[in-house]
């Protein structure tokens, strides 16, 4: 009996060895002649019937495919292909252009917005797109706090789930009217955000809780398959009303390791990737088959100084001195080629950016002079709160904090670094526990309001839930930003924001650090990839030249 | 024997209770807020509060733990905070991926490791012995990350003979029955898929199998050396028994017990420890699933999956113990 078991075991082992060796030699054999795997991947790209497939490699899977319920970039990458918004961002800026809506007008007081809709749009499930569908979607988003971006952008609270949108009505088959409770100039830009993609009401009702796995929109691609943690496949929408897609299929593949993903790109099994290791950028640039695509930045990293205190941080000269005493160019070397120096609280890709402003520059002597004038020639002690983990806008928080510590020691400012994990860091800074703190911001709707008002208006300097962690409370800035919210003319708004940036520069509540441009790497065969500042883009413009 | 197995299965209960308490306390000790992790920084305080309320995070720990155990007892693993999917469904697709990879890696490790160990022992101090044992030393100290990336670079980028990652190519159709792709392709007689799945398994299998392979080889060698010195082996030689019979039947069988222990332990370790391999080779398995859940503070996922892994670990150990009896009849469990 025992002998039998032993022999069976060895028999099995032997069998497996044979199969293994047999298969692998078979494999090697076919490789020599036919290059099997390479052929397979070629198939996926240009198949026998000339079908074009784009394979996009990324580090994480999507969380859900209902854009109204998520905030992660990897979900939005995919939903951008499936849904359309009423208006959309232009391909190369955050200005808006028509999409599902062809034209729109605002009432004099800025409270009523009327949109004319296209009458030739069909959802992927075949149903017609009408004004009622827009109403359905907005009413759905106003039913629960699960619709994160709706609540966040339109100021919904537990008691008022609708936020500033009082009413949405269909005033015709293809006309929809929004009534707001207060004028909101960024409203139009907010509507262009991917979370407000219009979903098919039929599908939402049919799938219920499982809708996020069965997305149905009007976009350039139709959802086909989702293999969790592995891949998501979308195919071309032949009836798309806007620019039709040039590729027939897009596969989003999850390849967690940055290095492995880059090697997949080199071996040709994927066509585009995000999340490139900084050290791989050079290699990609020197590879004749690859190209680097740099996304215009829509973020900012900064060191906020807690202005709402007695003592040094409350003193404007001191804050200016700190701006002068830090060598920004040197800090930027820590960004390994993906960072550009920031001088304003918003990135240059946004309209309304004030390029006239000159940054403080690095000048130790001037810094010392200012400190002496403020009565701090002998220096003082401050805390610098830093997050432990890298953020997209600040790849090496710890080393950056240490560099600033060293530089400020030159002007007798003794910096104590307090490092916390991200959640704790957020809570601590919102509570104003810091003297100085690192933080950053990635824009939502491409409107300057989304940077300046959120991060530097006194309305948002509330202890405990502050977006303005400098606790900067300038009435002048507040008046300008408020005026810009109610002004509907973009040019006039732009002027107001430019002025606000000048005051902010002078008051120096921040030491602005950098805007990062996370690079994508792609095969040279991929043409017309138009990286959008918002972080992802629909793939109907790009093509594969094979 | 049956009684012994039953007793061991009953013993599972305190083990699982311990594991669940430990997991529960550890995950709650890590700083972080699941509500914030899930909703991201673009969330309002009232949204966060509502989610915390929904998830029951405001309740005392004892209540939260009690609720978790209560659900488990009803066979309900709960729902992922992040994806809002039933955890049992998520595990059902990922566990087979990991088990397939682990079994493959272990078979590879056993075949190569045992053979190398036996030959090295029989031909002690020969070139093969020196080569394989220094190879084993090398193998046990190799970082999986490095080995994995090097293999991808060599076989996928430079030679282009093996797929770099994933379980199956996008253009291969496979009707899944068990979610063990190799088995499914055999069951459906889909040879193209079998070949594709096999080629996808090779590199991660080798990467994962290297360390156990090295350990098994060294253990087999030392154990064989000891047995080969025994009197009964000399007697068998003196009797004029064929060399292969002496080595494989008389010696290896007796030398196998410590090797079996190592195999059992390594198998358990691999199940939970495949995170690195799964990351490099984009293998959609359970290791990465738990890792991501820990990073995202997805408490229910972490608690339930670790419990499942613990059950498997214990069962593998039980199987090892039962197998002992076949290799050494003197062992009695009654």
């Amino acid at each position: 009996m025992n002998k039998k078991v032993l022999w069976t075991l060895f028999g099995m082992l032997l069998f497996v060895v044979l199969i293994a060796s047999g298969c692998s030699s078979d494999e090697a054999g076919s490789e020599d002649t036919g290059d099997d795997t390479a052929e397979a991947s070629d198939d996926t790209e240009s198949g026998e019937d000339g079908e074009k497939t784009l394979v996009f490699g990324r580090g994480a899977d999507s969380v859900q495919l209902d854009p109204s319920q998520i905030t992660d970039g990897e979900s939005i990458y995919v939903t951008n292909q499936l849904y359309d918004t009423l208006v959309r961002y232009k391909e190369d800026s955050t200005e808006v252009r028509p999409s599902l809506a062809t034209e729109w007008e605002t009432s004099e007081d800025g409270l009523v917005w009327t949109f004319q809709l296209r009458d030739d749009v069909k959802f992927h499930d075949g149903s017609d797109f009408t004004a009622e569908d827009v109403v359905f979607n907005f009413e759905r988003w106003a039913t629960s706090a699960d619709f994160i971006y709706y609540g966040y952008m339109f100021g919904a609270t537990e008691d008022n789930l609708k936020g500033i949108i009082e009413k949405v009505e269909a005033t015709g088959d293809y006309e929809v009217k929004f009534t707001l409770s207060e004028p909101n100039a960024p409203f139009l830009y907010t509507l262009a955000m991917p979370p407000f993609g219009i979903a098919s009401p039929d599908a939402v009702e049919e799938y219920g809780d499982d809708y996020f796995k069965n997305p149905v929109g009007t976009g350039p691609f139709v959802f086909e398959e989702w293999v969790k943690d592995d891949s998501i496949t979308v195919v071309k929408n032949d009836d798309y009303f806007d620019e039709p897609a040039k590729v027939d299929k897009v596969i989003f593949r999850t390849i967690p390791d940055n290095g492995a993903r880059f090697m997949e790109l080199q071996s040709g099994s994927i066509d585009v990737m995000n999340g490139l290791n900084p050290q791989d950028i050079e290699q990609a640039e020197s590879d004749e088959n690859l190209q680097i695509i740099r996304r215009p930045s829509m973020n900012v990293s900064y060191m906020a100084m807690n202005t709402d205190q007695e003592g040094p941080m409350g003193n404007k000269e001191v804050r200016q001195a700190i701006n002068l005493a830090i060598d920004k160019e040197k800090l930027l070397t820590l960004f390994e080629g993906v960072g550009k120096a920031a001088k304003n609280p918003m990135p240059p890709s946004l309209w309304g950016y004030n390029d006239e402003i000159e940054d403080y520059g690095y000048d130790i002597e001037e810094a010392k002079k200012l400190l002496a004038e403020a009565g701090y020639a002998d220096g003082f002690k401050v805390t610098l709160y830093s997050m432990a983990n890298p953020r997209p806008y600040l790849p090496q928080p710890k080393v950056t904090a240490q560099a600033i510590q060293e530089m400020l020691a030159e002007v007798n400012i003794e910096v104590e670094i307090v490092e916390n994990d991200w959640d704790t860091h957020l809570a601590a800074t919102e509570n104003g526990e810091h003297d100085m703190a690192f933080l950053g911001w990635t824009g939502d709707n491409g409107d300057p309001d989304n940077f300046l008002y959120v991060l530097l208006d006194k309305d948002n300097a509330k202890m405990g839930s502050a977006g303005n962690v400098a606790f900067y409370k300038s009435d002048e800035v507040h008046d300008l930003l408020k005026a810009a919210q109610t002004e509907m003319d973009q040019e006039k708004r732009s002027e107001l924001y430019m002025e606000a940036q000048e005051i902010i520069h002078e008051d120096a509540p921040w030491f602005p650090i950098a805007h990062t441009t996370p690079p994508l790497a792609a095969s040279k065969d991929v043409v017309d990839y138009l990286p959008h500042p918002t972080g992802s883009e629909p793939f109907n413009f790009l093509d594969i030249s094979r | 024997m049956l009684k012994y197995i039953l007793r061991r299965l009953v013993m599972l209960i305190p083990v699982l209770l311990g594991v669940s308490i430990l997991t529960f306390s550890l995950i709650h000790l890590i700083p972080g807020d699941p509500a914030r992790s899930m909703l991201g920084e673009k969330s309002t305080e009232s949204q966060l509060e509502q989610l915390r309320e929904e998830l029951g995070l405001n309740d005392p720990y004892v209540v939260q733990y009690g609720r978790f155990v209560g659900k488990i007892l009803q066979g309900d693993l709960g729902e992922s905070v992040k994806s809002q999917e039933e955890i049992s469904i998520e595990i059902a697709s990922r566990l087979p991926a990991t088990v397939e990879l682990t079994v493959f890696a272990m078979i590879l490790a056993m075949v190569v490791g045992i053979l190398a160990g036996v030959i090295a022992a029989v031909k002690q101090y020969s070139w093969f012995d020196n080569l394989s044992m220094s190879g084993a030393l090398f193998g046990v100290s190799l970082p999986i990350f490095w080995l994995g990336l090097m293999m991808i670079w060599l076989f996928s980028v430079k030679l282009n003979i093996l797929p770099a990652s994933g379980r199956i190519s996008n253009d291969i159709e496979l009707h899944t029955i068990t979610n063990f792709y190799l088995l499914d392709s055999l069951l459906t007689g889909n040879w193209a898929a079998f070949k594709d799945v096999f080629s996808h398994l090779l590199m991660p299998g080798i990467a994962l199998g290297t360390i156990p392979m090295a350990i098994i080889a060294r253990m087999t060698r030392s154990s064989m050396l000891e047995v080969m010195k025994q009197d009964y082996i000399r007697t068998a030689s003196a009797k004029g028994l064929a060399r292969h019979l002496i080595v494989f039947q008389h010696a290896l069988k007796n030398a196998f017990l410590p090797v079996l222990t190592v195999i059992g332990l390594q198998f358990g370790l691999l199940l939970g420890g495949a995170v690195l391999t799964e990351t490099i080779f984009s293998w959609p398995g359970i290791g990465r699933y738990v890792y991501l859940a820990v990073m995202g503070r997805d408490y229910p996922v972490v608690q339930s999956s670790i419990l499942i892994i613990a059950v498997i670990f214990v069962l593998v150990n039980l199987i090892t113990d039962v197998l002992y009896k076949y290799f050494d009849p003197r062992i009695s469990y009654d």
Side-chain angles (χ1 to χ4, degrees), chain A residues 299-302 328 341-348 352-359 451-452 456 498 501-502 504-505 510 512-515:
Chain A
N299 63 24
V300 62
S301 52
Y302 56 90
K328 203 173 282 182
K343 58 181 181 183
N344 284 326
M346 56 189 257
Y353 179 80
N354 192 336
D355 211 9
E356 305 279 291
I357 289 173
E358 209 174 305
D359 203 5
F451 277 85
L452 300 181
L456 286 160
M498 297 233 187
Q501 286 168 70
E502 263 166 40
I504 293 166
H505 174 74
W510 287 6
I513 305 175
H515 309 291

Side-chain angles (χ1 to χ4, degrees), chain A residues 2-3 6 10 16-17 31 35 40 145 148 212-213 229 253 255-257 263-264 391 423 442 444, chain B residues 32-33 39 41-42 47 50 83 85 94 107 111 145 149 160-161 165 171 249 252 280 282 288 327 329:
Chain A
N2 290 347
K3 217 182 268 177
L6 190 72
F10 269 100
V16 172
V17 177
E31 245 79 72
D35 207 343
I148 303 166
F212 73 87
K213 289 187 273 185
D229 280 350
R253 273 191 56 198
I255 305 163
D257 185 66
M263 286 197 274
E264 291 249 16
R391 306 291 302 168
D423 296 343
T442 304
D444 299 303
Chain B
D33 176 358
L39 297 182
E41 49 200 294
K42 314 277 163 141
Q47 285 173 331
Q50 193 178 336
S83 69
E85 183 90 84
R94 287 170 176 87
I107 290 176
V111 172
F145 237 103
L149 288 175
N160 211 351
I161 53 174
S165 64
D171 52 346
Q249 204 169 358
L252 182 60
I280 300 168
S282 316
R288 252 191 79 68
F327 289 98

Side-chain angles (χ1 to χ4, degrees), chain B residues 214-231:
Chain B
I215 296 176
I216 290 171
R218 293 184 70 86
M219 185 54 100
T220 309
R221 177 179 180 270
S222 64
S223 179
M224 275 295 282
L225 278 178
E226 204 174 298
V227 172
M228 291 294 280
K229 289 198 197 93
Q230 301 282 329
D231 289 346

Side-chain angles (χ1 to χ4, degrees), chain B residues 28-231:
Chain B
H28 281 88
L29 274 176
I30 313 174
D33 176 358
R36 179 91 80 170
S37 295
M38 192 199 154
L39 297 182
E41 49 200 294
K42 314 277 163 141
S43 49
T44 60
E45 198 47 50
S46 70
Q47 285 173 331
L48 289 172
E49 199 40 53
Q50 193 178 336
L51 184 67
R52 285 191 201 111
E53 200 54 49
E54 263 172 43
L55 297 175
L57 292 169
N58 293 333
D59 299 335
Y61 286 153
V62 184
V63 177
Q64 289 188 46
Y65 179 74
R67 195 164 39 220
F68 163 61
V69 173
K71 272 192 177 168
I72 289 282
L73 287 179
Q74 295 165 29
D76 180 6
L77 292 180
E79 204 176 67
S80 158
V81 175
K82 195 143 208 152
S83 69
Q84 295 180 4
E85 183 90 84
E86 289 284 327
I87 294 172
S88 51
I89 293 178
E90 297 208 317
I91 290 183
S93 75
R94 287 170 176 87
L95 195 60
T98 298
V99 172
E100 185 171 47
L101 176 61
T102 309
V103 170
F104 183 78
M106 268 328 268
I107 290 176
L108 215 62
M110 279 160 66
V111 172
V112 180
I114 293 174
L115 279 180
V118 168
I119 298 174
V122 173
K123 308 219 183 265
Q124 200 185 1
Y125 305 132
S126 67
W127 64 268
F128 182 88
D129 182 23
N130 291 329
L131 191 75
S132 60
M133 285 308 118
S134 34
L137 190 65
F138 190 61
V140 86
S141 12
L142 266 187
I144 290 188
F145 237 103
W146 183 84
L147 178 66
L149 288 175
M150 281 304 127
M151 278 200 290
I152 298 182
W153 177 79
L154 182 64
F155 293 109
S156 305
V157 180
K158 288 292 151 193
L159 301 175
N160 211 351
I161 53 174
L162 285 177
S165 64
R167 281 184 86 186
I168 189 165
S169 298
N170 290 315
D171 52 346
I172 296 279
E173 293 283 334
L174 175 64
H175 176 68
T176 52
I177 305 164
T178 59
N179 266 329
F180 295 96
Y181 285 3
L182 212 52
L183 198 62
D184 286 343
S185 60
L186 280 178
L187 287 177
T188 52
N190 187 343
W191 288 103
F194 181 82
K195 215 172 125 188
D196 185 72
V197 171
F198 189 82
S199 67
H200 277 89
L201 257 171
L202 264 181
M203 282 202 289
I206 293 171
L208 191 63
T210 302
I211 291 176
M213 190 188 292
I215 296 176
I216 290 171
R218 293 184 70 86
M219 185 54 100
T220 309
R221 177 179 180 270
S222 64
S223 179
M224 275 295 282
L225 278 178
E226 204 174 298
V227 172
M228 291 294 280
K229 289 198 197 93
Q230 301 282 329
D231 289 346

